[in-house]
Amino acid sequence: MPADAGARADEGNAAAASRLAEVRRRIAVAEREAGRPEGSARLIAVSKTFDSDAIRPLIAGGQRVFGENRVQEAKAKWPALRAETPGLTVELIGPLQSNKAAEAVALFDAIHSVDRDKIADALAKEMRKQGRSPRLLVQVNIGEEPQKAGVAPAETAAFVERCRTVYGLTIDGLMCIPPLDEPPGPHFALTAKLARELGLTALSMGMSADFELAIAYGATELRIGSALFGTR
Ligand SMILES: *Cc1c(COP(=O)(O)O)cnc(C)c1O
């Protein structure tokens, strides 16, 4: 590598390391302020749209859990990164089509976007076939937005029950993306309440703009992209 390219790479590494340290610090502060144990909110670094060269500095900084929102993009990036560094966890946080269920089960350690019977059925079949069991979360369309994926809040209990009884799936928790133009607090509170009522412990909520608030409402998995990688 030419000297100036090497210097640029070092600079990129240092910037990524300092963004990662800052996000970790803010998570620790929010956990403490919420009276929660340190490390109880797990950081998922959302690397969608960023290439492997942008991801490696975070891996070098010790980050091991990553989130992607497209199956094809994840398939292009992660097999090679995983070969370089054992022990990486990659999770699907974006919508899933049933014709991609096989690839998703093969690739991901968790799927946060289970939201209809067709997907539950396809995942159950693939998990049996491949002998793999990614952790599963049900996405709730918490703001009941017509354009957004997810199960309606009023349908969530029945859908989680069908996942268990009809498809034999273990559901770990709920995921939500609050409406962009509304305060997220009430949406986090309602998602947490639904999860509690269903006896689900995992709560995937909180992004770059609102993760501290999500921690206050009990988030156990934070999906953070731009605060770690810069603007997309
Ligand atoms: C992109 C994305 C995120 C991360 O968003 P940032 O605002 O960049 O932190 C979180 N969750 C989902 C589902 C996403 O698609």
Side-chain angles (χ1 to χ4, degrees), residues 46 48 69 93-94 175 177 206-209 223-227 232:
V46 176
K48 67 186 187 196
N69 72 334
I93 60 169
M175 181 272 235
I177 310 171
M207 318 200 323
S208 292
R223 309 179 312 267
I224 300 181
S226 47
R232 284 183 293 274

